[in-house]
Short mmCIF file of all heavy atoms in Angstrom, two decimals:
data_model
loop_
_atom_site.label_atom_id
_atom_site.label_comp_id
_atom_site.label_asym_id
_atom_site.label_seq_id
_atom_site.Cartn_x
_atom_site.Cartn_y
_atom_site.Cartn_z
N MET A 534 39.62 -29.35 -32.98
CA MET A 534 40.53 -30.41 -33.61
C MET A 534 40.32 -30.34 -35.10
O MET A 534 39.15 -30.16 -35.56
CB MET A 534 40.14 -31.76 -33.01
CG MET A 534 40.88 -32.89 -33.65
SD MET A 534 40.59 -34.40 -32.74
CE MET A 534 41.78 -35.39 -33.48
N LEU A 535 41.39 -30.62 -35.77
CA LEU A 535 41.30 -30.48 -37.31
C LEU A 535 40.90 -31.92 -37.88
O LEU A 535 41.61 -32.88 -37.73
CB LEU A 535 42.70 -30.12 -37.78
CG LEU A 535 42.75 -30.00 -39.40
CD1 LEU A 535 41.80 -28.88 -39.85
CD2 LEU A 535 44.26 -29.55 -39.71
N GLY A 536 39.64 -31.97 -38.41
CA GLY A 536 39.14 -33.18 -39.00
C GLY A 536 39.80 -33.50 -40.33
O GLY A 536 40.34 -32.45 -40.99
N VAL A 537 39.51 -34.65 -40.88
CA VAL A 537 40.10 -34.94 -42.21
C VAL A 537 39.36 -34.05 -43.24
O VAL A 537 40.11 -33.58 -44.20
CB VAL A 537 39.77 -36.50 -42.47
CG1 VAL A 537 40.18 -36.89 -43.87
CG2 VAL A 537 40.52 -37.34 -41.50
N LYS A 538 38.22 -33.85 -43.19
CA LYS A 538 37.43 -32.92 -44.07
C LYS A 538 37.99 -31.66 -44.13
O LYS A 538 38.32 -31.00 -45.22
CB LYS A 538 35.92 -33.04 -43.86
CG LYS A 538 35.17 -32.21 -44.83
CD LYS A 538 33.57 -32.09 -44.49
CE LYS A 538 32.97 -31.20 -45.36
NZ LYS A 538 31.63 -30.83 -44.89
N ASP A 539 38.11 -31.08 -42.98
CA ASP A 539 38.67 -29.68 -42.81
C ASP A 539 40.11 -29.56 -43.42
O ASP A 539 40.44 -28.66 -43.99
CB ASP A 539 38.65 -29.16 -41.24
CG ASP A 539 37.23 -28.95 -40.80
OD1 ASP A 539 36.41 -28.56 -41.64
OD2 ASP A 539 37.05 -29.16 -39.67
N LYS A 540 40.82 -30.54 -43.14
CA LYS A 540 42.22 -30.58 -43.60
C LYS A 540 42.28 -30.66 -45.15
O LYS A 540 43.02 -29.89 -45.79
CB LYS A 540 42.91 -31.81 -43.02
CG LYS A 540 44.43 -31.86 -43.53
CD LYS A 540 45.16 -32.98 -42.91
CE LYS A 540 46.65 -33.03 -43.34
NZ LYS A 540 47.43 -34.17 -42.88
N GLY A 541 41.34 -31.39 -45.71
CA GLY A 541 41.33 -31.40 -47.20
C GLY A 541 40.81 -30.12 -47.74
O GLY A 541 41.41 -29.68 -48.68
N ILE A 542 39.91 -29.50 -47.11
CA ILE A 542 39.48 -28.22 -47.49
C ILE A 542 40.58 -27.14 -47.44
O ILE A 542 40.84 -26.37 -48.33
CB ILE A 542 38.18 -27.77 -46.78
CG1 ILE A 542 37.07 -28.59 -47.11
CG2 ILE A 542 37.83 -26.25 -46.97
CD1 ILE A 542 35.73 -28.46 -46.27
N LEU A 543 41.21 -27.13 -46.32
CA LEU A 543 42.39 -26.15 -46.10
C LEU A 543 43.36 -26.29 -47.10
O LEU A 543 44.01 -25.35 -47.70
CB LEU A 543 42.91 -26.25 -44.72
CG LEU A 543 41.98 -25.80 -43.66
CD1 LEU A 543 42.57 -26.10 -42.23
CD2 LEU A 543 41.64 -24.31 -43.74
N LEU A 544 43.79 -27.60 -47.44
CA LEU A 544 44.86 -27.86 -48.53
C LEU A 544 44.30 -27.32 -49.86
O LEU A 544 45.13 -26.73 -50.56
CB LEU A 544 45.09 -29.38 -48.59
CG LEU A 544 45.89 -29.96 -47.37
CD1 LEU A 544 45.92 -31.47 -47.50
CD2 LEU A 544 47.23 -29.27 -47.30
N GLN A 545 43.01 -27.46 -50.12
CA GLN A 545 42.50 -26.90 -51.42
C GLN A 545 42.57 -25.45 -51.41
O GLN A 545 42.95 -24.77 -52.43
CB GLN A 545 41.16 -27.41 -51.57
CG GLN A 545 41.01 -28.88 -52.08
CD GLN A 545 41.81 -29.07 -53.36
OE1 GLN A 545 41.66 -28.38 -54.39
NE2 GLN A 545 42.68 -30.10 -53.41
N ILE A 546 42.20 -24.80 -50.31
CA ILE A 546 42.25 -23.39 -50.22
C ILE A 546 43.83 -22.83 -50.41
O ILE A 546 44.00 -21.89 -51.10
CB ILE A 546 41.71 -22.95 -48.73
CG1 ILE A 546 40.29 -23.00 -48.83
CG2 ILE A 546 42.09 -21.42 -48.63
CD1 ILE A 546 39.53 -22.89 -47.43
N ILE A 547 44.73 -23.51 -49.74
CA ILE A 547 46.07 -23.16 -49.97
C ILE A 547 46.54 -23.24 -51.43
O ILE A 547 47.17 -22.41 -51.93
CB ILE A 547 47.07 -24.05 -49.03
CG1 ILE A 547 46.79 -23.56 -47.65
CG2 ILE A 547 48.54 -23.90 -49.46
CD1 ILE A 547 47.33 -24.61 -46.64
N LYS A 548 46.12 -24.37 -52.04
CA LYS A 548 46.38 -24.58 -53.47
C LYS A 548 45.79 -23.42 -54.38
O LYS A 548 46.45 -22.90 -55.20
CB LYS A 548 45.73 -25.90 -53.95
CG LYS A 548 46.02 -26.25 -55.43
CD LYS A 548 45.31 -27.61 -55.77
CE LYS A 548 45.41 -27.89 -57.28
NZ LYS A 548 44.72 -29.06 -57.51
N ARG A 549 44.61 -23.00 -54.01
CA ARG A 549 43.91 -21.88 -54.78
C ARG A 549 44.68 -20.48 -54.44
O ARG A 549 44.97 -19.68 -55.32
CB ARG A 549 42.48 -21.69 -54.39
CG ARG A 549 41.73 -23.02 -54.71
CD ARG A 549 41.41 -23.10 -56.09
NE ARG A 549 40.54 -24.24 -56.35
CZ ARG A 549 40.12 -24.66 -57.51
NH1 ARG A 549 40.45 -23.94 -58.57
NH2 ARG A 549 39.32 -25.70 -57.70
N CYS A 550 45.08 -20.38 -53.19
CA CYS A 550 45.85 -19.12 -52.95
C CYS A 550 47.17 -19.14 -53.69
O CYS A 550 47.59 -18.14 -54.18
CB CYS A 550 46.05 -19.06 -51.34
SG CYS A 550 44.73 -18.74 -50.39
N ASN A 551 47.81 -20.16 -53.73
CA ASN A 551 49.16 -20.33 -54.46
C ASN A 551 48.94 -20.11 -55.91
O ASN A 551 49.81 -19.43 -56.48
CB ASN A 551 49.69 -21.67 -54.19
CG ASN A 551 50.48 -21.70 -52.80
OD1 ASN A 551 50.74 -20.76 -52.18
ND2 ASN A 551 50.49 -22.96 -52.33
N ARG A 552 47.81 -20.42 -56.47
CA ARG A 552 47.63 -20.22 -57.78
C ARG A 552 47.39 -18.72 -58.04
O ARG A 552 47.91 -18.10 -59.06
CB ARG A 552 46.25 -20.99 -58.30
CG ARG A 552 45.99 -20.85 -59.70
CD ARG A 552 46.84 -21.70 -60.58
NE ARG A 552 46.33 -21.66 -61.89
CZ ARG A 552 46.93 -21.49 -63.06
NH1 ARG A 552 48.26 -21.17 -62.92
NH2 ARG A 552 46.46 -21.48 -64.14
N VAL A 553 46.64 -17.89 -57.19
CA VAL A 553 46.50 -16.58 -57.29
C VAL A 553 47.81 -15.88 -57.24
O VAL A 553 48.19 -15.01 -58.05
CB VAL A 553 45.42 -16.08 -56.31
CG1 VAL A 553 45.57 -14.59 -56.31
CG2 VAL A 553 44.12 -16.62 -56.55
N ILE A 554 48.53 -16.24 -56.20
CA ILE A 554 49.92 -15.60 -56.03
C ILE A 554 50.82 -15.84 -57.29
O ILE A 554 51.44 -14.94 -57.78
CB ILE A 554 50.56 -16.24 -54.73
CG1 ILE A 554 49.93 -15.74 -53.54
CG2 ILE A 554 52.05 -15.74 -54.68
CD1 ILE A 554 50.23 -16.49 -52.28
N GLU A 555 50.73 -17.01 -57.77
CA GLU A 555 51.53 -17.39 -58.95
C GLU A 555 51.18 -16.41 -60.20
O GLU A 555 52.09 -16.01 -60.96
CB GLU A 555 51.29 -18.88 -59.43
CG GLU A 555 51.85 -19.32 -60.70
CD GLU A 555 51.35 -20.74 -60.98
OE1 GLU A 555 51.50 -21.58 -60.15
OE2 GLU A 555 50.80 -20.94 -62.05
N LYS A 556 49.93 -16.17 -60.34
CA LYS A 556 49.37 -15.34 -61.44
C LYS A 556 49.73 -13.79 -61.32
O LYS A 556 49.85 -13.15 -62.20
CB LYS A 556 47.92 -15.50 -61.65
CG LYS A 556 47.55 -16.84 -62.37
CD LYS A 556 48.06 -16.91 -63.68
CE LYS A 556 47.99 -18.16 -64.41
NZ LYS A 556 48.56 -18.25 -65.68
N VAL A 557 49.73 -13.38 -60.10
CA VAL A 557 49.86 -11.88 -59.92
C VAL A 557 51.23 -11.33 -59.35
O VAL A 557 51.49 -10.18 -59.28
CB VAL A 557 48.77 -11.36 -58.95
CG1 VAL A 557 47.40 -11.53 -59.60
CG2 VAL A 557 48.85 -11.82 -57.58
N SER A 558 52.08 -12.32 -59.00
CA SER A 558 53.30 -11.94 -58.32
C SER A 558 54.33 -11.14 -59.21
O SER A 558 55.11 -10.38 -58.67
CB SER A 558 54.07 -13.14 -57.69
OG SER A 558 54.44 -13.97 -58.74
N ASN A 559 54.22 -11.37 -60.39
CA ASN A 559 55.15 -10.62 -61.35
C ASN A 559 54.50 -9.73 -62.36
O ASN A 559 55.19 -9.40 -63.32
CB ASN A 559 56.03 -11.77 -62.07
CG ASN A 559 56.79 -12.48 -61.20
OD1 ASN A 559 57.38 -11.99 -60.32
ND2 ASN A 559 56.90 -13.77 -61.35
N ILE A 560 53.42 -9.24 -61.97
CA ILE A 560 52.73 -8.23 -62.96
C ILE A 560 52.39 -7.00 -62.18
O ILE A 560 52.08 -7.06 -60.97
CB ILE A 560 51.57 -8.86 -63.62
CG1 ILE A 560 50.44 -9.16 -62.72
CG2 ILE A 560 51.89 -9.93 -64.47
CD1 ILE A 560 49.19 -9.58 -63.35
N SER A 561 52.23 -5.96 -62.89
CA SER A 561 51.85 -4.64 -62.31
C SER A 561 50.32 -4.63 -62.26
O SER A 561 49.59 -5.30 -62.91
CB SER A 561 52.35 -3.49 -63.09
OG SER A 561 51.69 -3.41 -64.31
N LYS A 562 49.91 -3.50 -61.49
CA LYS A 562 48.36 -3.39 -61.30
C LYS A 562 47.82 -3.08 -62.74
O LYS A 562 46.70 -3.57 -63.08
CB LYS A 562 48.04 -2.19 -60.43
CG LYS A 562 48.32 -2.58 -58.96
CD LYS A 562 47.88 -1.37 -58.13
CE LYS A 562 48.29 -1.73 -56.61
NZ LYS A 562 47.93 -0.54 -55.81
N THR A 563 48.53 -2.34 -63.48
CA THR A 563 48.08 -2.00 -64.91
C THR A 563 47.97 -3.28 -65.76
O THR A 563 46.95 -3.39 -66.44
CB THR A 563 49.03 -0.91 -65.50
OG1 THR A 563 49.06 0.24 -64.67
CG2 THR A 563 48.52 -0.53 -66.91
N ASP A 564 49.01 -3.93 -65.69
CA ASP A 564 49.00 -5.21 -66.49
C ASP A 564 47.82 -6.10 -66.17
O ASP A 564 47.13 -6.74 -66.90
CB ASP A 564 50.36 -5.93 -66.42
CG ASP A 564 51.47 -5.29 -67.14
OD1 ASP A 564 51.25 -4.41 -68.01
OD2 ASP A 564 52.70 -5.62 -66.82
N PHE A 565 47.66 -6.29 -64.78
CA PHE A 565 46.54 -7.00 -64.29
C PHE A 565 45.25 -6.60 -64.79
O PHE A 565 44.38 -7.21 -65.33
CB PHE A 565 46.53 -7.05 -62.77
CG PHE A 565 45.35 -7.77 -62.13
CD1 PHE A 565 45.39 -9.23 -61.98
CD2 PHE A 565 44.20 -7.13 -61.76
CE1 PHE A 565 44.30 -9.85 -61.51
CE2 PHE A 565 43.13 -7.85 -61.23
CZ PHE A 565 43.30 -9.16 -61.11
N SER A 566 45.05 -5.23 -64.70
CA SER A 566 43.71 -4.51 -65.10
C SER A 566 43.53 -4.74 -66.68
O SER A 566 42.33 -4.83 -67.16
CB SER A 566 43.62 -3.13 -64.68
OG SER A 566 44.57 -2.44 -65.50
N LEU A 567 44.55 -4.84 -67.40
CA LEU A 567 44.32 -5.06 -68.85
C LEU A 567 44.28 -6.51 -69.38
O LEU A 567 43.95 -6.73 -70.49
CB LEU A 567 45.60 -4.31 -69.57
CG LEU A 567 45.70 -2.82 -69.39
CD1 LEU A 567 46.93 -2.30 -70.02
CD2 LEU A 567 44.34 -2.19 -69.93
N ASN A 568 44.49 -7.37 -68.49
CA ASN A 568 44.69 -8.80 -68.91
C ASN A 568 43.47 -9.57 -68.38
O ASN A 568 43.33 -10.01 -67.20
CB ASN A 568 45.91 -9.48 -68.39
CG ASN A 568 46.16 -10.85 -68.93
OD1 ASN A 568 45.32 -11.71 -69.10
ND2 ASN A 568 47.44 -11.16 -69.29
N ASP A 569 42.47 -9.80 -69.29
CA ASP A 569 41.14 -10.42 -68.91
C ASP A 569 41.46 -11.98 -68.46
O ASP A 569 40.66 -12.49 -67.58
CB ASP A 569 40.24 -10.41 -69.97
CG ASP A 569 39.63 -9.03 -70.28
OD1 ASP A 569 39.73 -8.21 -69.32
OD2 ASP A 569 39.11 -8.71 -71.38
N ASP A 570 42.30 -12.60 -69.05
CA ASP A 570 42.63 -13.93 -68.63
C ASP A 570 43.10 -14.04 -67.24
O ASP A 570 42.68 -14.99 -66.54
CB ASP A 570 43.65 -14.68 -69.67
CG ASP A 570 43.18 -14.87 -71.02
OD1 ASP A 570 41.87 -14.97 -71.25
OD2 ASP A 570 43.89 -14.90 -71.95
N ILE A 571 44.00 -13.26 -66.86
CA ILE A 571 44.55 -13.28 -65.52
C ILE A 571 43.45 -12.80 -64.54
O ILE A 571 43.31 -13.48 -63.45
CB ILE A 571 45.78 -12.36 -65.35
CG1 ILE A 571 46.96 -12.97 -66.16
CG2 ILE A 571 46.17 -12.20 -63.83
CD1 ILE A 571 48.22 -12.13 -66.13
N LYS A 572 42.75 -11.80 -64.97
CA LYS A 572 41.63 -11.45 -64.00
C LYS A 572 40.54 -12.70 -63.82
O LYS A 572 40.11 -12.87 -62.67
CB LYS A 572 40.73 -10.25 -64.54
CG LYS A 572 41.56 -8.95 -64.40
CD LYS A 572 40.75 -7.76 -64.71
CE LYS A 572 40.58 -7.65 -66.14
NZ LYS A 572 39.97 -6.39 -66.60
N GLU A 573 40.31 -13.42 -64.91
CA GLU A 573 39.42 -14.52 -64.84
C GLU A 573 39.98 -15.58 -63.88
O GLU A 573 39.16 -16.11 -63.12
CB GLU A 573 39.12 -15.08 -66.13
CG GLU A 573 38.11 -16.17 -66.23
CD GLU A 573 37.72 -16.58 -67.67
OE1 GLU A 573 37.82 -15.80 -68.55
OE2 GLU A 573 37.35 -17.78 -67.81
N VAL A 574 41.20 -15.99 -64.02
CA VAL A 574 41.77 -16.95 -63.27
C VAL A 574 41.76 -16.59 -61.81
O VAL A 574 41.52 -17.37 -60.90
CB VAL A 574 43.30 -17.26 -63.68
CG1 VAL A 574 44.01 -18.17 -62.73
CG2 VAL A 574 43.33 -17.95 -65.05
N VAL A 575 42.19 -15.36 -61.44
CA VAL A 575 42.19 -14.81 -60.10
C VAL A 575 40.77 -14.81 -59.57
O VAL A 575 40.55 -15.33 -58.45
CB VAL A 575 42.85 -13.53 -60.00
CG1 VAL A 575 42.68 -12.84 -58.56
CG2 VAL A 575 44.31 -13.56 -60.38
N SER A 576 39.86 -14.36 -60.27
CA SER A 576 38.43 -14.17 -59.80
C SER A 576 37.84 -15.59 -59.62
O SER A 576 37.21 -15.92 -58.52
CB SER A 576 37.53 -13.51 -60.82
OG SER A 576 37.95 -12.16 -60.93
N PHE A 577 38.11 -16.57 -60.45
CA PHE A 577 37.68 -17.94 -60.26
C PHE A 577 38.21 -18.52 -59.00
O PHE A 577 37.52 -19.18 -58.23
CB PHE A 577 38.01 -18.83 -61.56
CG PHE A 577 37.63 -20.20 -61.41
CD1 PHE A 577 36.36 -20.69 -61.48
CD2 PHE A 577 38.66 -21.17 -61.03
CE1 PHE A 577 36.07 -22.01 -61.28
CE2 PHE A 577 38.32 -22.50 -60.88
CZ PHE A 577 37.01 -22.89 -60.98
N ASN A 578 39.51 -18.40 -58.81
CA ASN A 578 40.15 -18.97 -57.61
C ASN A 578 39.64 -18.26 -56.33
O ASN A 578 39.46 -19.03 -55.36
CB ASN A 578 41.67 -18.88 -57.66
CG ASN A 578 42.21 -20.11 -58.69
OD1 ASN A 578 42.29 -21.19 -58.26
ND2 ASN A 578 42.48 -19.72 -59.92
N LEU A 579 39.46 -17.06 -56.36
CA LEU A 579 38.83 -16.33 -55.13
C LEU A 579 37.48 -16.81 -54.86
O LEU A 579 37.13 -17.01 -53.66
CB LEU A 579 38.94 -14.98 -55.36
CG LEU A 579 40.34 -14.20 -55.35
CD1 LEU A 579 40.23 -12.70 -55.70
CD2 LEU A 579 41.05 -14.43 -54.04
N PHE A 580 36.65 -17.03 -55.99
CA PHE A 580 35.39 -17.64 -55.76
C PHE A 580 35.42 -19.07 -55.18
O PHE A 580 34.68 -19.27 -54.28
CB PHE A 580 34.64 -17.60 -57.10
CG PHE A 580 33.31 -18.27 -56.97
CD1 PHE A 580 32.16 -17.64 -56.55
CD2 PHE A 580 33.13 -19.59 -57.41
CE1 PHE A 580 30.94 -18.23 -56.52
CE2 PHE A 580 31.91 -20.23 -57.48
CZ PHE A 580 30.82 -19.61 -56.94
N GLN A 581 36.27 -19.79 -55.63
CA GLN A 581 36.46 -21.10 -55.15
C GLN A 581 36.95 -21.20 -53.69
O GLN A 581 36.50 -21.96 -52.93
CB GLN A 581 37.46 -21.89 -55.97
CG GLN A 581 36.99 -22.31 -57.37
CD GLN A 581 35.79 -23.20 -57.30
OE1 GLN A 581 35.84 -24.24 -56.63
NE2 GLN A 581 34.73 -22.83 -58.09
N ILE A 582 37.80 -20.27 -53.28
CA ILE A 582 38.25 -20.17 -51.94
C ILE A 582 37.02 -19.90 -51.06
O ILE A 582 36.86 -20.51 -49.95
CB ILE A 582 39.29 -19.05 -51.77
CG1 ILE A 582 40.66 -19.52 -52.46
CG2 ILE A 582 39.48 -18.74 -50.39
CD1 ILE A 582 41.63 -18.45 -52.64
N GLY A 583 36.22 -18.92 -51.49
CA GLY A 583 34.93 -18.72 -50.72
C GLY A 583 33.99 -19.88 -50.53
O GLY A 583 33.55 -20.09 -49.46
N GLU A 584 33.87 -20.70 -51.66
CA GLU A 584 33.05 -21.82 -51.69
C GLU A 584 33.62 -22.88 -50.74
O GLU A 584 32.94 -23.43 -49.96
CB GLU A 584 32.87 -22.32 -53.13
CG GLU A 584 31.92 -21.55 -53.85
CD GLU A 584 30.56 -21.38 -53.41
OE1 GLU A 584 29.93 -22.43 -53.03
OE2 GLU A 584 29.97 -20.28 -53.30
N LEU A 585 34.98 -23.05 -50.89
CA LEU A 585 35.67 -24.00 -49.98
C LEU A 585 35.48 -23.68 -48.56
O LEU A 585 35.25 -24.54 -47.63
CB LEU A 585 37.12 -24.26 -50.31
CG LEU A 585 37.41 -24.95 -51.68
CD1 LEU A 585 38.75 -24.63 -52.17
CD2 LEU A 585 37.14 -26.41 -51.55
N ALA A 586 35.68 -22.48 -48.12
CA ALA A 586 35.61 -21.92 -46.86
C ALA A 586 34.30 -22.19 -46.22
O ALA A 586 34.05 -22.45 -45.04
CB ALA A 586 35.93 -20.39 -46.72
N ASN A 587 33.13 -22.11 -47.05
CA ASN A 587 31.83 -22.34 -46.56
C ASN A 587 31.60 -23.82 -46.16
O ASN A 587 30.76 -24.20 -45.46
CB ASN A 587 30.74 -22.15 -47.72
CG ASN A 587 30.53 -20.70 -47.86
OD1 ASN A 587 30.63 -19.90 -46.89
ND2 ASN A 587 30.17 -20.22 -49.07
N GLY A 588 32.58 -24.73 -46.61
CA GLY A 588 32.48 -26.13 -46.24
C GLY A 588 33.23 -26.50 -45.03
O GLY A 588 33.19 -27.74 -44.55
N LEU A 589 33.81 -25.52 -44.43
CA LEU A 589 34.59 -25.87 -43.21
C LEU A 589 33.68 -26.13 -42.08
O LEU A 589 32.52 -25.47 -42.01
CB LEU A 589 35.52 -24.63 -42.76
CG LEU A 589 36.76 -24.57 -43.70
CD1 LEU A 589 37.45 -23.16 -43.40
CD2 LEU A 589 37.78 -25.67 -43.54
N SER A 590 33.96 -27.01 -41.16
CA SER A 590 33.07 -27.38 -40.04
C SER A 590 32.99 -26.16 -39.04
O SER A 590 33.84 -25.36 -38.84
CB SER A 590 33.56 -28.63 -39.38
OG SER A 590 34.82 -28.33 -38.63
N VAL A 591 31.81 -26.23 -38.45
CA VAL A 591 31.59 -25.18 -37.43
C VAL A 591 32.55 -25.26 -36.37
O VAL A 591 33.08 -24.26 -35.77
CB VAL A 591 30.12 -25.23 -36.82
CG1 VAL A 591 29.92 -24.29 -35.61
CG2 VAL A 591 29.03 -25.07 -37.89
N GLU A 592 32.85 -26.56 -35.94
CA GLU A 592 33.87 -26.66 -34.88
C GLU A 592 35.30 -26.09 -35.18
O GLU A 592 35.91 -25.48 -34.28
CB GLU A 592 34.14 -28.21 -34.56
CG GLU A 592 32.84 -28.92 -33.99
CD GLU A 592 31.86 -29.26 -35.09
OE1 GLU A 592 32.15 -29.22 -36.28
OE2 GLU A 592 30.70 -29.49 -34.76
N PHE A 593 35.67 -26.20 -36.48
CA PHE A 593 36.93 -25.70 -36.88
C PHE A 593 36.82 -24.11 -36.87
O PHE A 593 37.83 -23.58 -36.33
CB PHE A 593 37.31 -26.26 -38.24
CG PHE A 593 38.59 -25.58 -38.78
CD1 PHE A 593 39.79 -25.93 -38.42
CD2 PHE A 593 38.43 -24.57 -39.69
CE1 PHE A 593 40.90 -25.33 -38.77
CE2 PHE A 593 39.55 -23.88 -40.26
CZ PHE A 593 40.82 -24.25 -39.77
N ILE A 594 35.79 -23.71 -37.32
CA ILE A 594 35.71 -22.16 -37.43
C ILE A 594 35.74 -21.48 -36.04
O ILE A 594 36.25 -20.46 -35.87
CB ILE A 594 34.45 -21.75 -38.23
CG1 ILE A 594 34.59 -22.23 -39.58
CG2 ILE A 594 34.08 -20.24 -38.07
CD1 ILE A 594 33.33 -22.08 -40.47
N LYS A 595 35.13 -22.18 -35.03
CA LYS A 595 35.10 -21.72 -33.69
C LYS A 595 36.44 -21.75 -33.05
O LYS A 595 36.70 -20.94 -32.00
CB LYS A 595 34.06 -22.46 -32.86
CG LYS A 595 32.63 -22.09 -33.14
CD LYS A 595 31.76 -22.94 -32.32
CE LYS A 595 30.27 -22.53 -32.60
NZ LYS A 595 29.32 -23.25 -31.71
N GLU A 596 37.28 -22.62 -33.46
CA GLU A 596 38.61 -22.70 -32.86
C GLU A 596 39.46 -21.60 -32.99
O GLU A 596 39.73 -20.76 -33.69
CB GLU A 596 39.28 -24.01 -33.23
CG GLU A 596 38.67 -25.22 -32.69
CD GLU A 596 39.53 -26.49 -33.07
OE1 GLU A 596 40.68 -26.37 -33.44
OE2 GLU A 596 38.94 -27.52 -32.91
#
């Protein structure tokens, strides 16, 4: 069952995923590799996604 805490975490993960997609959807791999600001935003959000995922309940992960 999806608890309130898990739902909040999942919404934050979706928000972070959308931020990454927003930053990389219209650029080439070369442009990405040359743009330190975009790499930083993407890296930060991926890190945050991992941290958020660590907060999901054991019950949710098992489902």
